[in-house]
PDB file of all heavy atoms in Angstrom:
ATOM      1  N   PHE A  11       1.010   2.717   0.307  1.00  0.00           N
ATOM      2  CA  PHE A  11       0.528   1.933   1.445  1.00  0.00           C
ATOM      3  C   PHE A  11      -1.005   1.871   1.433  1.00  0.00           C
ATOM      4  O   PHE A  11      -1.607   0.821   1.671  1.00  0.00           O
ATOM      5  CB  PHE A  11       0.995   2.559   2.760  1.00  0.00           C
ATOM      6  CG  PHE A  11       2.008   1.728   3.502  1.00  0.00           C
ATOM      7  CD1 PHE A  11       3.207   2.282   3.916  1.00  0.00           C
ATOM      8  CD2 PHE A  11       1.761   0.389   3.797  1.00  0.00           C
ATOM      9  CE1 PHE A  11       4.152   1.524   4.606  1.00  0.00           C
ATOM     10  CE2 PHE A  11       2.698  -0.371   4.490  1.00  0.00           C
ATOM     11  CZ  PHE A  11       3.893   0.200   4.898  1.00  0.00           C
ATOM     12  N   GLU A  12      -1.627   3.021   1.179  1.00  0.00           N
ATOM     13  CA  GLU A  12      -3.089   3.084   1.153  1.00  0.00           C
ATOM     14  C   GLU A  12      -3.658   2.171   0.068  1.00  0.00           C
ATOM     15  O   GLU A  12      -4.653   1.462   0.295  1.00  0.00           O
ATOM     16  CB  GLU A  12      -3.526   4.539   0.907  1.00  0.00           C
ATOM     17  CG  GLU A  12      -5.003   4.734   0.616  1.00  0.00           C
ATOM     18  CD  GLU A  12      -5.909   4.442   1.796  1.00  0.00           C
ATOM     19  OE1 GLU A  12      -5.404   4.201   2.917  1.00  0.00           O
ATOM     20  OE2 GLU A  12      -7.134   4.456   1.607  1.00  0.00           O
ATOM     21  N   THR A  13      -3.018   2.152  -1.083  1.00  0.00           N
ATOM     22  CA  THR A  13      -3.482   1.303  -2.188  1.00  0.00           C
ATOM     23  C   THR A  13      -3.405  -0.169  -1.825  1.00  0.00           C
ATOM     24  O   THR A  13      -4.355  -0.932  -2.040  1.00  0.00           O
ATOM     25  CB  THR A  13      -2.640   1.572  -3.444  1.00  0.00           C
ATOM     26  OG1 THR A  13      -2.773   2.951  -3.828  1.00  0.00           O
ATOM     27  CG2 THR A  13      -3.080   0.694  -4.600  1.00  0.00           C
ATOM     28  N   LEU A  14      -2.264  -0.578  -1.260  1.00  0.00           N
ATOM     29  CA  LEU A  14      -2.099  -1.984  -0.903  1.00  0.00           C
ATOM     30  C   LEU A  14      -3.002  -2.374   0.265  1.00  0.00           C
ATOM     31  O   LEU A  14      -3.662  -3.425   0.231  1.00  0.00           O
ATOM     32  CB  LEU A  14      -0.637  -2.274  -0.551  1.00  0.00           C
ATOM     33  CG  LEU A  14      -0.337  -3.715  -0.098  1.00  0.00           C
ATOM     34  CD1 LEU A  14      -0.726  -4.713  -1.171  1.00  0.00           C
ATOM     35  CD2 LEU A  14       1.127  -3.861   0.281  1.00  0.00           C
ATOM     36  N   ALA A  15      -3.042  -1.545   1.311  1.00  0.00           N
ATOM     37  CA  ALA A  15      -3.866  -1.859   2.473  1.00  0.00           C
ATOM     38  C   ALA A  15      -5.338  -1.968   2.084  1.00  0.00           C
ATOM     39  O   ALA A  15      -6.056  -2.868   2.536  1.00  0.00           O
ATOM     40  CB  ALA A  15      -3.685  -0.802   3.557  1.00  0.00           C
ATOM     41  N   ALA A  16      -5.798  -1.053   1.227  1.00  0.00           N
ATOM     42  CA  ALA A  16      -7.195  -1.086   0.789  1.00  0.00           C
ATOM     43  C   ALA A  16      -7.496  -2.361   0.005  1.00  0.00           C
ATOM     44  O   ALA A  16      -8.565  -2.961   0.173  1.00  0.00           O
ATOM     45  CB  ALA A  16      -7.507   0.149  -0.053  1.00  0.00           C
ATOM     46  N   ARG A  17      -6.558  -2.786  -0.833  1.00  0.00           N
ATOM     47  CA  ARG A  17      -6.755  -4.022  -1.595  1.00  0.00           C
ATOM     48  C   ARG A  17      -6.874  -5.217  -0.641  1.00  0.00           C
ATOM     49  O   ARG A  17      -7.773  -6.060  -0.797  1.00  0.00           O
ATOM     50  CB  ARG A  17      -5.589  -4.223  -2.558  1.00  0.00           C
ATOM     51  CG  ARG A  17      -5.506  -5.619  -3.188  1.00  0.00           C
ATOM     52  CD  ARG A  17      -6.698  -5.906  -4.108  1.00  0.00           C
ATOM     53  NE  ARG A  17      -6.637  -5.100  -5.303  1.00  0.00           N
ATOM     54  CZ  ARG A  17      -5.994  -5.457  -6.413  1.00  0.00           C
ATOM     55  NH1 ARG A  17      -5.384  -6.635  -6.473  1.00  0.00           N
ATOM     56  NH2 ARG A  17      -5.990  -4.665  -7.457  1.00  0.00           N
ATOM     57  N   LEU A  18      -5.988  -5.302   0.325  1.00  0.00           N
ATOM     58  CA  LEU A  18      -5.988  -6.440   1.240  1.00  0.00           C
ATOM     59  C   LEU A  18      -7.160  -6.386   2.219  1.00  0.00           C
ATOM     60  O   LEU A  18      -7.649  -7.429   2.670  1.00  0.00           O
ATOM     61  CB  LEU A  18      -4.670  -6.488   2.004  1.00  0.00           C
ATOM     62  CG  LEU A  18      -3.417  -6.717   1.140  1.00  0.00           C
ATOM     63  CD1 LEU A  18      -2.163  -6.659   2.001  1.00  0.00           C
ATOM     64  CD2 LEU A  18      -3.492  -8.040   0.396  1.00  0.00           C
ATOM     65  N   GLU A  19      -7.611  -5.171   2.554  1.00  0.00           N
ATOM     66  CA  GLU A  19      -8.735  -5.010   3.486  1.00  0.00           C
ATOM     67  C   GLU A  19     -10.074  -4.961   2.761  1.00  0.00           C
ATOM     68  O   GLU A  19     -11.124  -4.812   3.403  1.00  0.00           O
ATOM     69  CB  GLU A  19      -8.537  -3.732   4.308  1.00  0.00           C
ATOM     70  CG  GLU A  19      -7.317  -3.786   5.229  1.00  0.00           C
ATOM     71  CD  GLU A  19      -6.948  -2.438   5.813  1.00  0.00           C
ATOM     72  OE1 GLU A  19      -7.601  -1.430   5.432  1.00  0.00           O
ATOM     73  OE2 GLU A  19      -6.021  -2.372   6.639  1.00  0.00           O
ATOM     74  N   LYS A  20     -10.023  -5.046   1.430  1.00  0.00           N
ATOM     75  CA  LYS A  20     -11.225  -5.061   0.589  1.00  0.00           C
ATOM     76  C   LYS A  20     -12.083  -3.814   0.814  1.00  0.00           C
ATOM     77  O   LYS A  20     -13.287  -3.888   1.095  1.00  0.00           O
ATOM     78  CB  LYS A  20     -12.046  -6.331   0.837  1.00  0.00           C
ATOM     79  CG  LYS A  20     -11.264  -7.623   0.598  1.00  0.00           C
ATOM     80  CD  LYS A  20     -12.139  -8.850   0.727  1.00  0.00           C
ATOM     81  CE  LYS A  20     -11.326 -10.138   0.646  1.00  0.00           C
ATOM     82  NZ  LYS A  20     -10.452 -10.203  -0.525  1.00  0.00           N
ATOM     83  N   ARG A  21     -11.442  -2.660   0.686  1.00  0.00           N
ATOM     84  CA  ARG A  21     -12.141  -1.389   0.782  1.00  0.00           C
ATOM     85  C   ARG A  21     -11.694  -0.479  -0.346  1.00  0.00           C
ATOM     86  O   ARG A  21     -10.730  -0.781  -1.070  1.00  0.00           O
ATOM     87  CB  ARG A  21     -11.876  -0.721   2.129  1.00  0.00           C
ATOM     88  CG  ARG A  21     -10.404  -0.414   2.397  1.00  0.00           C
ATOM     89  CD  ARG A  21     -10.216   0.335   3.715  1.00  0.00           C
ATOM     90  NE  ARG A  21      -8.810   0.520   4.064  1.00  0.00           N
ATOM     91  CZ  ARG A  21      -8.039   1.483   3.579  1.00  0.00           C
ATOM     92  NH1 ARG A  21      -8.526   2.357   2.716  1.00  0.00           N
ATOM     93  NH2 ARG A  21      -6.766   1.580   3.958  1.00  0.00           N
ATOM     94  N   THR A  22     -12.376   0.631  -0.510  1.00  0.00           N
ATOM     95  CA  THR A  22     -12.019   1.586  -1.558  1.00  0.00           C
ATOM     96  C   THR A  22     -10.894   2.495  -1.063  1.00  0.00           C
ATOM     97  O   THR A  22     -11.021   3.103   0.014  1.00  0.00           O
ATOM     98  CB  THR A  22     -13.228   2.451  -1.943  1.00  0.00           C
ATOM     99  OG1 THR A  22     -14.286   1.608  -2.401  1.00  0.00           O
ATOM    100  CG2 THR A  22     -12.855   3.440  -3.044  1.00  0.00           C
ATOM    101  N   PRO A  23      -9.792   2.600  -1.798  1.00  0.00           N
ATOM    102  CA  PRO A  23      -8.674   3.440  -1.331  1.00  0.00           C
ATOM    103  C   PRO A  23      -8.934   4.923  -1.549  1.00  0.00           C
ATOM    104  O   PRO A  23      -9.749   5.317  -2.381  1.00  0.00           O
ATOM    105  CB  PRO A  23      -7.509   2.957  -2.203  1.00  0.00           C
ATOM    106  CG  PRO A  23      -8.168   2.542  -3.484  1.00  0.00           C
ATOM    107  CD  PRO A  23      -9.484   1.918  -3.071  1.00  0.00           C
ATOM    108  N   MET A  24      -8.242   5.738  -0.783  1.00  0.00           N
ATOM    109  CA  MET A  24      -8.245   7.177  -1.034  1.00  0.00           C
ATOM    110  C   MET A  24      -7.509   7.449  -2.335  1.00  0.00           C
ATOM    111  O   MET A  24      -6.653   6.670  -2.757  1.00  0.00           O
ATOM    112  CB  MET A  24      -7.538   7.904   0.124  1.00  0.00           C
ATOM    113  CG  MET A  24      -8.215   7.769   1.466  1.00  0.00           C
ATOM    114  SD  MET A  24      -7.205   8.428   2.844  1.00  0.00           S
ATOM    115  CE  MET A  24      -7.188  10.187   2.452  1.00  0.00           C
ATOM    116  N   THR A  25      -7.827   8.551  -2.988  1.00  0.00           N
ATOM    117  CA  THR A  25      -7.112   8.945  -4.199  1.00  0.00           C
ATOM    118  C   THR A  25      -5.810   9.638  -3.802  1.00  0.00           C
ATOM    119  O   THR A  25      -5.623  10.044  -2.634  1.00  0.00           O
ATOM    120  CB  THR A  25      -7.949   9.911  -5.043  1.00  0.00           C
ATOM    121  OG1 THR A  25      -8.128  11.136  -4.305  1.00  0.00           O
ATOM    122  CG2 THR A  25      -9.315   9.309  -5.371  1.00  0.00           C
ATOM    123  N   LEU A  26      -4.903   9.787  -4.764  1.00  0.00           N
ATOM    124  CA  LEU A  26      -3.650  10.483  -4.481  1.00  0.00           C
ATOM    125  C   LEU A  26      -3.930  11.916  -4.044  1.00  0.00           C
ATOM    126  O   LEU A  26      -3.299  12.425  -3.109  1.00  0.00           O
ATOM    127  CB  LEU A  26      -2.747  10.471  -5.720  1.00  0.00           C
ATOM    128  CG  LEU A  26      -1.425  11.237  -5.601  1.00  0.00           C
ATOM    129  CD1 LEU A  26      -0.583  10.714  -4.444  1.00  0.00           C
ATOM    130  CD2 LEU A  26      -0.634  11.139  -6.910  1.00  0.00           C
ATOM    131  N   TYR A  27      -4.894  12.565  -4.682  1.00  0.00           N
ATOM    132  CA  TYR A  27      -5.241  13.935  -4.311  1.00  0.00           C
ATOM    133  C   TYR A  27      -5.743  13.998  -2.873  1.00  0.00           C
ATOM    134  O   TYR A  27      -5.376  14.899  -2.113  1.00  0.00           O
ATOM    135  CB  TYR A  27      -6.292  14.497  -5.265  1.00  0.00           C
ATOM    136  CG  TYR A  27      -6.768  15.875  -4.885  1.00  0.00           C
ATOM    137  CD1 TYR A  27      -5.981  17.000  -5.156  1.00  0.00           C
ATOM    138  CD2 TYR A  27      -7.990  16.071  -4.229  1.00  0.00           C
ATOM    139  CE1 TYR A  27      -6.399  18.281  -4.786  1.00  0.00           C
ATOM    140  CE2 TYR A  27      -8.410  17.335  -3.857  1.00  0.00           C
ATOM    141  CZ  TYR A  27      -7.614  18.433  -4.141  1.00  0.00           C
ATOM    142  OH  TYR A  27      -8.025  19.689  -3.771  1.00  0.00           O
ATOM    143  N   GLN A  28      -6.567  13.037  -2.475  1.00  0.00           N
ATOM    144  CA  GLN A  28      -7.072  13.006  -1.104  1.00  0.00           C
ATOM    145  C   GLN A  28      -5.941  12.784  -0.101  1.00  0.00           C
ATOM    146  O   GLN A  28      -5.927  13.392   0.963  1.00  0.00           O
ATOM    147  CB  GLN A  28      -8.134  11.908  -0.973  1.00  0.00           C
ATOM    148  CG  GLN A  28      -9.440  12.224  -1.679  1.00  0.00           C
ATOM    149  CD  GLN A  28     -10.391  11.045  -1.689  1.00  0.00           C
ATOM    150  OE1 GLN A  28      -9.972   9.879  -1.726  1.00  0.00           O
ATOM    151  NE2 GLN A  28     -11.691  11.331  -1.666  1.00  0.00           N
ATOM    152  N   VAL A  29      -5.007  11.909  -0.454  1.00  0.00           N
ATOM    153  CA  VAL A  29      -3.861  11.671   0.416  1.00  0.00           C
ATOM    154  C   VAL A  29      -3.035  12.943   0.565  1.00  0.00           C
ATOM    155  O   VAL A  29      -2.632  13.330   1.676  1.00  0.00           O
ATOM    156  CB  VAL A  29      -2.989  10.530  -0.128  1.00  0.00           C
ATOM    157  CG1 VAL A  29      -1.670  10.434   0.638  1.00  0.00           C
ATOM    158  CG2 VAL A  29      -3.734   9.201  -0.056  1.00  0.00           C
ATOM    159  N   GLN A  30      -2.771  13.617  -0.544  1.00  0.00           N
ATOM    160  CA  GLN A  30      -1.965  14.839  -0.500  1.00  0.00           C
ATOM    161  C   GLN A  30      -2.651  15.936   0.320  1.00  0.00           C
ATOM    162  O   GLN A  30      -2.010  16.628   1.113  1.00  0.00           O
ATOM    163  CB  GLN A  30      -1.696  15.328  -1.923  1.00  0.00           C
ATOM    164  CG  GLN A  30      -0.755  14.417  -2.705  1.00  0.00           C
ATOM    165  CD  GLN A  30      -0.675  14.761  -4.182  1.00  0.00           C
ATOM    166  OE1 GLN A  30      -1.675  15.188  -4.789  1.00  0.00           O
ATOM    167  NE2 GLN A  30       0.494  14.583  -4.766  1.00  0.00           N
ATOM    168  N   SER A  31      -3.958  16.088   0.122  1.00  0.00           N
ATOM    169  CA  SER A  31      -4.699  17.111   0.869  1.00  0.00           C
ATOM    170  C   SER A  31      -4.719  16.784   2.356  1.00  0.00           C
ATOM    171  O   SER A  31      -4.566  17.672   3.209  1.00  0.00           O
ATOM    172  CB  SER A  31      -6.132  17.206   0.334  1.00  0.00           C
ATOM    173  OG  SER A  31      -6.146  17.589  -1.026  1.00  0.00           O
ATOM    174  N   SER A  32      -4.925  15.520   2.672  1.00  0.00           N
ATOM    175  CA  SER A  32      -4.957  15.096   4.068  1.00  0.00           C
ATOM    176  C   SER A  32      -3.604  15.289   4.736  1.00  0.00           C
ATOM    177  O   SER A  32      -3.515  15.782   5.869  1.00  0.00           O
ATOM    178  CB  SER A  32      -5.381  13.624   4.155  1.00  0.00           C
ATOM    179  OG  SER A  32      -5.272  13.144   5.468  1.00  0.00           O
ATOM    180  N   TRP A  33      -2.524  14.913   4.047  1.00  0.00           N
ATOM    181  CA  TRP A  33      -1.187  15.047   4.628  1.00  0.00           C
ATOM    182  C   TRP A  33      -0.838  16.508   4.880  1.00  0.00           C
ATOM    183  O   TRP A  33      -0.151  16.838   5.855  1.00  0.00           O
ATOM    184  CB  TRP A  33      -0.158  14.403   3.718  1.00  0.00           C
ATOM    185  CG  TRP A  33       1.241  14.473   4.259  1.00  0.00           C
ATOM    186  CD1 TRP A  33       2.257  15.287   3.825  1.00  0.00           C
ATOM    187  CD2 TRP A  33       1.789  13.717   5.353  1.00  0.00           C
ATOM    188  NE1 TRP A  33       3.402  15.075   4.562  1.00  0.00           N
ATOM    189  CE2 TRP A  33       3.139  14.112   5.514  1.00  0.00           C
ATOM    190  CE3 TRP A  33       1.276  12.739   6.200  1.00  0.00           C
ATOM    191  CZ2 TRP A  33       3.975  13.572   6.484  1.00  0.00           C
ATOM    192  CZ3 TRP A  33       2.107  12.197   7.170  1.00  0.00           C
ATOM    193  CH2 TRP A  33       3.433  12.616   7.302  1.00  0.00           C
ATOM    194  N   ALA A  34      -1.321  17.405   4.018  1.00  0.00           N
ATOM    195  CA  ALA A  34      -1.060  18.832   4.196  1.00  0.00           C
ATOM    196  C   ALA A  34      -1.682  19.345   5.492  1.00  0.00           C
ATOM    197  O   ALA A  34      -1.159  20.258   6.133  1.00  0.00           O
ATOM    198  CB  ALA A  34      -1.603  19.615   3.011  1.00  0.00           C
TER     199      ALA A  34
END
Side-chain angles (χ1 to χ4, degrees):
F11 248 128
E12 170 68 7
T13 300
L14 178 59
R17 167 66 70 88
L18 297 176
E19 295 168 356
K20 303 185 186 308
R21 60 176 174 82
T22 301
M24 296 171 66
T25 65
L26 177 58
Y27 176 77
Q28 289 172 328
V29 170
Q30 291 170 326
S31 298
S32 173
W33 181 254

